[in-house]
Amino acid sequence: MDSSWSSVIDLADQVGDLSEERALDYTRWTPGVAEWLSDPSPYRVLKGGNGTGKTRAHAAELVWRAEGRHPFRRTHRPPVKMVCYGYSFSAMETIMEEVWRFVDKSQVIYGGFDPGRGCRGKPPRITWRNGSVLLFLTYGESTEAYAGKTLHYQGLDEPMPESKWGEVRSRTRGVQGEIGMTFTPTPEAPPQVWLREKCDKGEVSLTNIPLTLDAVTPTGGRPWMTQAEIEALIASWLPLERDMRRGLSWEPITSGRQLDAFEERHITTAVPTVELRGGVGIDHGIVAGRQGAMVVATDGWSIWFLAEYRPDKKGPRTSPRQDAEGIRKALKEVGWDFDTDLLWMGDRAAESQSWGTRKSNGALVSAIEKILNKRREEIGPSGLWIRVPNKQAISPWHGFSMLNSLFIEDRAWVHPRCVNFIESLRTWEGSPRDPAKDLLDGARYITLRLIEVHDLRPPDILLR
C-alpha cells in the first residue's frame, strides 16, 4: 500500500477514536435544541416531537454542568449535586447511555454503563474527580431518597406528575438551583395542563420543537431523518397521539378510528405454506362477551391473524372452561390444538367480587388441564405456559402503534373468519372501555411477544 494512503487511513482511525472519546465535543446541535441549551431561565422546558434530539441534549446539559464547561450559558461551578428523574430505571436507560457516552471517562472516579441494566450503583450514579455527583432516581423513590436535600440541578426527561413539582422545586432553594425538563407528551403520561399554565404565565420558560426536517438537521450538518422517514413515522402513530408525538399538542386529540392503516386489502385467506410460528393472545373479561383471544401465525416477516374467540355479548357470562373450549375451537379452525407448539400471552386477572367471578391465565390453564386430562407440563412439546405482558414497560399506545405500523408496511393480514376483530380494527376510536378494544388487546399482546422473542421482525418504521 502506498505510504500516503497508509497515512490517510491512520489519520482517519485517529480521528474516529478521538470523536468517540470526545463525543460531546463533536456533537452538533439543531437550532431549536441550541435555543434551549442557551436559555438562562432557572426553570425551563424543552417540549418537542419524538426524534428531535431532546434526550441527547439533556444528557449534554448534565455532563457539561458536572464538568464545569457549559458552552452555551453560565452554570454553577463544580462540584455540583444533580439528580435526573424518570418513571423507572428501565425508562431512563436511554439518557443514562447518552450521559455515559458524553462523559470524559478520565475524570470519573465511579460510574459505568451496562446495556440492559443502565448506570451502575444503587441508586445509579456517576461521580467525578472534581466532586460532582449525578444520581438517577425514579419519581416514586425520590421523596425518601433525597428528602430535605439541596441540589444545584434537577433534570426531568419525562413528563412529571403535578404533585412532584413543589417537592422538586423546594430542593433548588439555598443554592439557586435550576430545573430542566425535556419530554414529548404522550397519552399514558400524567396530564401536563398545570405545566402548560406555568409556561403561559412565564413561570417556566418553554422551547417547543415540532417534528420537521429542520428539527432533525443540526447546524452545518445533515438531517438524521429524511422527510419520507418523518412522514412514515408520523403515520405509524395513532391519530389520538400524533399531534402530541409531533410536538404540536399537550393533550390527546381523538379523531375517529385509531388503527387507520388497516384497509380492506389486508383481509385475505392467503397464508404461506412455509413453516410458521403460532401464538395465542388472550384478553380476560368478566362482563358477558368481553373475553377475547386471537390466534396468530408468523413467518418472521409478516403476521397473520387467523382465528378469534369472542363469546356472544348477549349471552350469559362464560366460565374459564367455556373460554378454554372456545379457544380450542378457534385453534381447530387453523388445524391446531392445545398440544401444538404455540406461544401464549394472556392479560392480568380480571375479577368481580359482586359476581364471585375471576378470569385469569391460571384458571384458563386449569380448565384446559381438565379438558385434556393432562397436567400443564404434559401439554404440547414443552408444557402450556401463559405469560403476562409487562404493562409497566410497554404502553398500550406503543403496542397499537406497532400494529398500525405492520399494516402500513403490508406485513399484517387478517383472515375473513375474524369477523369481530375486523370490526374492532374498523371502529375502535381509542376508548379504553370500548369492547372493541378487547380483541385488539389480545392481538397486541401476542404480536409484541413474537417481536420480543425475535420470531417477528419489528416494523422498519420503528427501527429507524
Side-chain angles (χ1 to χ4, degrees), residues 167-208:
E167 173 193 323
V168 170
R169 190 175 61 173
S170 69
R171 294 179 187 144
T172 65
R173 295 167 184 163
V175 294
Q176 294 183 316
E178 301 181 27
I179 300 172
M181 292 174 266
T182 50
F183 63 86
T184 298
T186 59
E188 65 270 16
Q192 298 296 293
V193 176
W194 66 274
L195 181 57
R196 182 180 62 184
E197 291 175 351
K198 291 186 179 299
C199 292
D200 291 342
K201 293 176 182 178
E203 297 176 16
V204 177
S205 179
L206 172 65
T207 301
N208 190 64

Side-chain angles (χ1 to χ4, degrees), residues 226-410:
T226 66
Q227 183 63 40
E229 288 171 339
I230 291 173
E231 292 173 1
L233 181 60
I234 292 171
S236 73
W237 299 323
L238 304 184
L240 65 82
E241 63 178 347
R242 278 181 191 148
D243 280 355
M244 297 179 79
R245 292 194 180 277
R246 291 172 66 185
L248 299 176
S249 172
W250 289 81
E251 294 94 22
I253 300 175
T254 303
S255 53
R257 73 186 186 101
Q258 296 303 304
L259 291 155
D260 58 353
F262 168 73
E263 300 179 7
E264 299 306 303
R265 61 190 174 83
H266 292 120
I267 302 174
T268 178
T269 58
V271 179
T273 56
V274 299
E275 184 175 351
L276 300 174
R277 174 62 159 145
V280 180
I282 304 160
D283 187 66
H284 297 296
I286 299 296
V287 178
R290 295 298 300 268
Q291 186 82 10
M294 292 302 304
V295 179
V296 307
T298 180
D299 62 356
W301 176 251
S302 294
I303 184 168
W304 287 265
F305 299 95
L306 298 176
E308 66 180 18
Y309 163 61
R310 184 67 158 175
D312 187 352
K313 63 182 179 181
K314 296 181 181 179
R317 295 190 301 274
T318 56
S319 66
R321 170 108 186 192
Q322 290 171 316
D323 293 334
E325 291 170 342
I327 293 172
R328 189 181 199 186
K329 180 180 178 182
L331 289 170
K332 288 188 173 182
E333 289 179 327
V334 183
W336 297 339
D337 205 334
F338 290 130
D339 281 312
T340 305
D341 186 13
L342 301 171
L343 199 65
W344 292 77
M345 286 292 287
D347 195 9
R348 295 174 182 173
E351 58 185 324
S352 171
Q353 293 183 352
S354 59
W355 292 343
T357 306
R358 176 181 172 86
K359 297 287 190 73
S360 68
N361 295 330
L364 181 63
V365 171
S366 294
I368 294 172
E369 288 178 318
K370 291 176 182 177
I371 290 173
L372 300 181
N373 194 25
K374 293 181 179 179
R375 292 183 295 110
R376 67 165 61 194
E377 294 85 358
E378 301 170 328
I379 302 173
S382 55
L384 177 57
W385 309 98
I386 305 179
R387 293 178 59 94
V388 178
N390 186 346
K391 293 188 175 183
Q392 292 183 336
I394 301 177
S395 75
W397 312 112
H398 173 77
F400 290 131
S401 291
M402 193 78 72
L403 282 176
N404 216 35
S405 300
L406 289 168
F407 282 118
I408 289 173
E409 296 179 4
D410 288 336

